[in-house]
Amino acid sequence: MSAPTITTPGSRSSVRLSLIIATYNRADYLPRTLNSLTNQSLGSELFEIIVVNNNSTDHTAEVCRSFAEAQPELNFTMVTEIRQGLSHARNCGINHAKGDYFAIIDDDELVNRDFLKSYYDFFGMYPTVAACGGVVTPLYEFPVPAWLSRYAERPIAGTFYYGEKIVPFPKHTYPGGGNMGIRRTAIERYGMFNPELGRTGNSPMGGEEKDLFARLRAGGEEIYYVPGAIIYHIIPEQKLTPEYFDRLTRMIGKSERVRTRNLGTATYLKRLFSEGIKWGGTFVLALGYTVQGEPIKGRYLIKMRWNISRGLLGLIR
């Protein structure tokens, strides 16, 4: 039986920014995410919070109900998406959103006080820019393992920092999935998230954000970095295990195969070529870590590249 829609009245007539949070069985983390949104510097009448419950079997609905009761001044809605998958859930949130701009985060993150204001102000100051993204800082619950280099950290934590100025994202670089903003008009023109990509249940399949931003880039749209929008990504112990790292990096390769093949043979072959170049860089980095007395970090970079390549070549089912 699906959970009911939960709402607080708020003042919806002036909503300009819709914050979308897809969630699946993270009831122990979701309260921290929601509580970080209660003291935003942006006026509460200008934004809404939409939590999309993607068939959670834990007490997610109760968490949302308690939050709605405790924060009646906020425009808050919880809706249920019965089609399993992060892309389905985010698309559901977009379909329910009332704002002209969408900000999207995950259910295991905290945001800074100026998070929503930074996106709101950005879209107002840059009316021709279609999309943007901000800072992603890992918040580790346990000590990091010896094999975790800054290169291996990126797929696990999505770590991203590009300075203190608003600037365009470099070519071939995209916002992280847990911290991005996009105009409604861009979604209307280029479409939503591809349900073939993105996490489904506990599977760490990805690539849905990259796919969307690649469509925008192909259409000539600009994507900017917004340093004032900061999220702190909570990393639990289970995401720091070799088993999780193997599964995650295999799925990265598999999602890249799906994404690039959907764009045509030429795009897929180009991605294979770039993978060969990345192998060269991986060996150089691995050698560097070995010289520095940290060979385990080099071995895990090679393992990451191996897993991604196998997924890209269709050798993982």
Side-chain angles (χ1 to χ4, degrees):
M1 180 177 172
S2 62
T5 299
I6 298 169
T7 63
T8 52
S11 176
R12 297 184 179 276
S13 61
S14 56
V15 165
R16 298 293 306 282
L17 175 64
S18 299
L19 177 67
I20 298 167
I21 309 170
T23 189
Y24 172 70
N25 284 348
R26 287 261 181 80
D28 292 335
Y29 286 91
L30 186 59
R32 297 169 67 180
T33 301
L34 294 176
N35 288 336
S36 73
L37 293 163
T38 59
N39 192 32
Q40 288 293 292
S41 57
L42 182 66
S44 61
E45 74 281 2
L46 295 174
F47 70 90
E48 64 177 344
I49 302 168
I50 300 174
V51 172
V52 184
N53 185 349
N54 197 200
N55 297 317
S56 297
T57 57
D58 59 9
H59 56 289
T60 290
E62 288 75 11
V63 166
C64 291
R65 185 174 293 106
S66 295
F67 182 78
E69 291 172 354
Q71 307 294 335
E73 76 283 358
L74 295 180
N75 295 300
F76 177 83
T77 303
M78 188 209 79
V79 295
T80 300
E81 172 55 69
I82 63 173
R83 294 170 295 180
Q84 198 68 48
L86 182 56
S87 290
H88 282 306
R90 286 175 172 170
N91 291 344
C92 173
I94 289 170
N95 284 330
H96 281 84
K98 296 177 174 61
D100 299 316
Y101 325 129
F102 308 134
I104 298 174
I105 65 172
D106 289 332
D107 55 1
D108 56 352
E109 299 173 349
L110 311 179
V111 305
N112 66 320
R113 187 171 186 271
D114 291 329
F115 181 82
L116 294 176
K117 188 175 188 300
S118 295
Y119 275 136
Y120 178 85
D121 289 347
F122 172 82
F123 281 119
M125 291 187 298
Y126 293 81
T128 64
V129 177
C132 52
V135 179
V136 180
T137 301
L139 186 61
Y140 291 103
E141 292 189 319
F142 291 85
V144 300
W147 53 263
L148 190 68
S149 66
R150 67 188 183 96
Y151 303 99
E153 179 187 63
R154 182 69 193 276
I156 293 174
T159 307
F160 190 85
Y161 176 75
Y162 201 63
E164 294 298 321
K165 294 182 179 180
I166 294 176
V167 292
F169 265 82
K171 190 178 180 180
H172 304 308
T173 305
Y174 304 89
N179 187 0
M180 55 185 170
I182 189 166
R183 288 185 187 275
R184 175 183 293 276
T185 52
I187 291 292
E188 291 171 347
R189 182 173 181 182
Y190 297 97
M192 294 192 283
F193 293 99
N194 181 359
E196 290 185 63
L197 300 167
R199 293 173 184 265
T200 303
N202 293 318
S203 169
M205 183 81 161
E208 74 284 2
E209 305 100 352
K210 189 174 183 178
D211 173 73
L212 175 58
F213 289 124
R215 276 182 269 146
L216 267 63
R217 279 258 171 86
E221 302 292 347
E222 293 181 296
I223 303 170
Y224 268 63
Y225 167 75
V226 182
I230 304 170
I231 67 99
Y232 302 91
H233 187 187
I234 303 169
I235 310 298
E237 185 176 25
Q238 60 264 34
K239 285 190 176 182
L240 298 174
T241 64
E243 293 77 17
Y244 179 83
F245 185 72
D246 271 347
R247 190 159 58 99
L248 175 64
T249 50
R250 288 197 298 267
M251 289 300 101
I252 290 172
K254 186 175 180 180
S255 65
E256 276 292 273
R257 177 179 173 85
V258 172
R259 184 186 71 83
T260 55
R261 284 169 64 92
N262 282 347
L263 294 173
T265 301
T267 301
Y268 176 61
L269 292 176
K270 185 177 179 180
R271 180 62 182 85
L272 288 177
F273 178 75
S274 72
E275 186 69 6
I277 294 174
K278 290 179 180 181
W279 264 109
T282 297
F283 282 126
V284 170
L285 290 171
L287 178 60
Y289 279 120
T290 300
V291 171
Q292 295 170 18
E294 299 179 293
I296 190 170
K297 289 184 177 180
R299 290 200 299 272
Y300 268 78
L301 288 183
I302 292 173
K303 177 186 287 192
M304 178 175 72
R305 193 85 272 139
W306 172 249
N307 286 340
I308 292 174
S309 294
R310 290 179 64 220
L312 187 60
L313 291 169
L315 301 178
I316 295 173
R317 300 298 176 187

